[in-house]
Amino acid sequence: MESEHDQRRGQATARHRLIFRTTSGQAPIPVLPIGSDFSSRMDNQPKLRSIEAFPVQQDGKTLIYLKDPLNLAKPIGISPVGYFILSHFDGRHSWVDIQEAYSKRFGSLLTSDELMSFVDMLDQYYYLQSERFEQYRNEAVLEFRRLPTRAPAH
């Protein structure tokens, strides 16, 4: 039997679920597994790259779509709650700072696992400034330079 605290936590989690969608409107993207040593892949203070974010109505819900102006990352949609969390990814806020801001704003806990899953998902889609993104960008630039002809940019 669940305690009253567990029931409230479940209700809060359902209210503030982080929603991830691709622009094709498919079902939510599964949260990607976290590596065994996540901290070695991502700094304790995640930093978002320069991207575009704009609200979109989809299936009667508001999502915030993220788009990479360099077109290196696939456009994705996140919930307004996810956008609130994302707004703290400035390279100055630690994981604990982000969890504290979430708790103050929504009155519930953001677990480390939930936060790490969200950060990992953003890193997998190349929205975070990380070593993984830098390597991907360098490979994309090299590939582009090797092309004998290039597609127009528009």
Side-chain angles (χ1 to χ4, degrees):
M1 183 171 179
E2 285 185 286
S3 70
E4 184 177 331
H5 172 75
D6 291 337
Q7 289 173 349
R8 281 184 297 184
R9 170 103 173 96
Q11 292 167 351
T13 299
R15 277 195 317 270
H16 301 300
R17 186 169 314 280
L18 303 177
I19 300 171
F20 314 108
R21 292 187 185 270
T22 61
T23 54
S24 62
Q26 301 166 342
I29 298 169
V31 176
L32 301 167
I34 299 168
S36 58
D37 188 12
F38 185 79
S39 62
S40 68
R41 293 188 299 121
M42 183 59 55
D43 191 4
N44 183 38
Q45 298 169 317
K47 184 171 183 179
L48 185 66
R49 295 179 37 243
S50 294
I51 62 166
E52 298 171 359
F54 52 94
V56 173
Q57 291 293 323
Q58 184 175 331
D59 300 328
K61 295 181 182 181
T62 300
L63 294 177
I64 310 300
Y65 271 82
L66 308 179
K67 184 180 181 311
D68 177 10
L70 299 176
N71 291 321
L72 293 173
K74 183 177 183 179
I76 59 171
I78 61 173
S79 70
V81 173
Y83 185 71
F84 173 82
I85 295 168
L86 189 75
S87 71
H88 294 83
F89 290 6
D90 58 6
R92 295 187 313 246
H93 288 88
S94 71
W95 295 75
V96 173
D97 295 337
I98 296 165
Q99 289 172 306
E100 181 182 4
Y102 181 92
S103 180
K104 285 180 181 177
R105 174 74 164 87
F106 297 107
S108 62
L109 297 176
L110 176 64
T111 67
S112 295
D113 287 344
E114 291 169 329
L115 181 56
M116 286 193 308
S117 292
F118 186 61
V119 170
D120 196 42
M121 185 273 307
L122 291 171
D123 190 44
Q124 291 294 323
Y125 282 90
Y126 303 110
Y127 279 97
L128 296 181
Q129 189 66 46
S130 66
E131 288 179 31
R132 184 175 177 280
F133 169 73
E134 291 299 326
Q135 181 179 3
Y136 176 72
R137 184 184 64 168
N138 290 340
E139 290 170 4
V141 168
L142 287 174
E143 180 64 28
F144 180 78
R145 288 179 178 161
R146 284 187 217 135
L147 294 173
T149 57
R150 300 173 183 150
H154 52 84

